[in-house]
Amino acid sequence: MMDSAPLVFYTLAALITFSSIMVVAARTPVISALFLVLDLFLLACVYASLNANFVAVIQVLVYAGAILVLFLFVIMMLNVPRVRSKPRIKALDGLLITMVMVAFLYMLYRVIAQYLSPLPVESAGGSNTEAVGKLLFVEHLWAFELASFLILLAMVASIVITKKRAAP
Amino acid sequence: MSPDHYYALALIMFVCGVIGITLRRNLIVIMMSIELLLNSVNLIFVAASKAHGLVDGQVMVLFIITIAACEAAVGLAMVIALYRRYGTIDTDFYRMLRG
């Protein structure tokens, strides 16, 4: 069983620590959100290096793809503290994009490499995704159905909360 | 790699999130700090699932991601409603409302 190399882990850990601090310390919410994207991509890399491929892909799709876009949308709608009109964070933007791309490619490499040359999986029966799917739809079926109901409730709640009412 | 390393990393993330919740004034940054907390718990689940050779932890992570999505949707809706009503998302302002 191939284990994750310590060098990879320590690199990822240092970057995750840095971007977590930046999420909290960044001056504008947009920068915080972008560092949170980087954080989530790096976490997906950690998951992939732990052979949790399905969770890694879901992390990128749902967390970095959907939830963070929601955050950025709200930041855009609220146009909170006006940033200086001069673009002075170009270098930071490039660095962020490069790091996110590298993290994403590493995760993709880990996930694809396993399907090209399947490693012996410790849990009986098939790949990681297969094991997760079996567990999710057999043992945790009720929790799965309740989760779908929870999402429906959250959708209705957010529509009701943001609906414009007649002025009180 | 022993799982303790992963737990230590999760602890660092958790501390960052708690600091953000307590020190920052911007509601959106506070919600992003909550996301940091949830992610540190996810990391513990995945590392423990690897350490024990069970997949249950990864299924739990999927549920946590679902709940995080719901929490973000409802929380951001509340942020928008508050912004519409008071014109600010500074938590200091809400504290002053209480008198």
Side-chain angles (χ1 to χ4, degrees), chain A residues 10 24 26 63 78 128 162, chain B residues 5 24 35 42 58 83-84:
Chain A
Y10 286 123
V24 174
Y63 241 125
L78 300 189
N128 168 257
T162 50
Chain B
H5 293 77
R24 292 304 300 259
E35 300 294 328
N42 282 352
Q58 298 176 24
Y83 182 75
R84 275 207 195 121

Side-chain angles (χ1 to χ4, degrees), chain B residues 17-90:
Chain B
V18 170
I19 289 174
I21 289 177
T22 48
L23 292 188
R24 292 304 300 259
R25 300 270 175 269
N26 192 318
L27 263 183
I28 292 180
V29 177
I30 289 175
M31 290 201 56
M32 286 193 268
S33 305
I34 296 174
E35 300 294 328
L36 271 185
L37 301 188
L38 289 169
N39 271 292
S40 75
V41 175
N42 282 352
L43 180 59
I44 289 181
F45 266 120
V46 175
S49 120
K50 166 84 171 183
H52 294 267
L54 294 170
V55 195
D56 292 66
Q58 298 176 24
V59 175
M60 212 52 69
V61 168
L62 294 182
F63 288 129
I64 292 179
I65 289 179
T66 312
I67 290 169
C70 296
E71 172 255 327
V74 176
L76 290 172
M78 286 169 67
V79 170
I80 288 179
L82 281 169
Y83 182 75
R84 275 207 195 121
R85 199 177 177 98
Y86 298 116
T88 179
I89 54 168
D90 193 336

Side-chain angles (χ1 to χ4, degrees), chain A residues 19 37 53 68 82 112 156 158:
Chain A
S19 59
V37 172
N53 292 335
L68 260 296
R82 294 248 53 110
I112 290 174
V156 173
S158 49

Side-chain angles (χ1 to χ4, degrees), chain A residues 37 62-75, chain B residues 76:
Chain A
V37 172
V62 176
Y63 241 125
I67 298 182
L68 260 296
V69 169
L70 201 62
F71 271 98
L72 287 171
F73 243 82
V74 171
I75 292 171
Chain B
L76 290 172

Side-chain angles (χ1 to χ4, degrees), chain A residues 23-130:
Chain A
V23 168
V24 174
R27 196 142 305 171
T28 57
V30 181
I31 304 293
S32 288
L34 292 179
F35 271 104
L36 192 52
V37 172
L38 176 63
D39 212 342
L40 299 177
F41 269 94
L42 292 168
L43 271 176
C45 289
V46 174
Y47 297 160
S49 74
L50 283 168
N51 288 328
N53 292 335
F54 186 65
V55 175
V57 173
I58 289 295
Q59 169 97 358
V60 171
L61 283 182
V62 176
Y63 241 125
I67 298 182
L68 260 296
V69 169
L70 201 62
F71 271 98
L72 287 171
F73 243 82
V74 171
I75 292 171
M76 184 190 75
M77 280 176 68
L78 300 189
N79 69 7
V80 262
R82 294 248 53 110
V83 205
R84 288 156 291 270
S85 53
K86 229 179 359 183
R88 63 173 189 87
I89 45 175
K90 281 291 183 210
L92 190 59
D93 285 353
L95 183 69
L96 261 172
I97 291 170
T98 316
M99 282 162 86
V100 167
M101 284 308 293
V102 169
F104 180 68
L105 288 178
Y106 175 72
M107 191 212 73
L108 215 58
Y109 160 72
R110 284 294 307 218
V111 171
I112 290 174
Q114 202 198 344
Y115 289 110
L116 288 185
S117 61
L119 302 164
V121 186
E122 67 265 54
S123 57
S127 63
N128 168 257
T129 309
E130 205 175 325

